[in-house]
Amino acid sequence: MSDHSVRWEKEIVRVGDYIAEVEVEIICTEDEWSPYISVEDARRLDEVRQALVSGDLERATKLAKVYRLVPVAA
C-alpha cells in the first residue's frame, strides 16, 4: 500500500440562494488519481445538494453549515 497524506478542506455546494460548506477529507497519494475524496464524502456532498434542491434545510444543516445569500445594494 502506498503512503498517503490527508488534509481537510471545505467544499461549497450552491443551490439557488443557499450555499453549504461541507468539510471533506482530501486524500493525496502517489497514484495518478490523486488528490481525491472518499466515496463517503462524495455521497455527503450529493446528499447536501439534494437536500438544498428539495428545500429540506433541516437535513442540509445536519450535514453542513448552510448560509442564505443576500444581495448587497451597492
Side-chain angles (χ1 to χ4, degrees):
M1 180 170 240
S2 65
D3 291 329
H4 69 278
S5 64
V6 174
R7 69 180 188 271
W8 290 92
E9 289 189 8
K10 292 179 183 172
E11 292 291 322
I12 301 296
V13 176
R14 180 175 179 199
V15 175
D17 291 341
Y18 294 96
I19 62 167
E21 245 182 13
V22 184
E23 259 195 59
V24 296
E25 185 178 52
I26 306 295
I27 303 163
C28 299
T29 64
E30 296 295 322
D31 67 29
E32 60 197 47
W33 291 97
S34 184
Y36 58 90
I37 64 173
S38 69
V39 172
E40 180 180 300
D41 283 345
R43 286 185 180 143
R44 191 159 27 96
L45 285 167
D46 286 342
E47 189 174 348
V48 169
R49 184 180 326 282
Q50 289 172 0
L52 291 175
V53 166
S54 67
D56 189 350
L57 296 177
E58 184 177 340
R59 187 172 90 191
T61 57
K62 288 181 181 177
L63 300 166
K65 283 188 175 181
V66 177
Y67 303 90
R68 186 169 57 93
L69 299 173
V70 179
V72 176

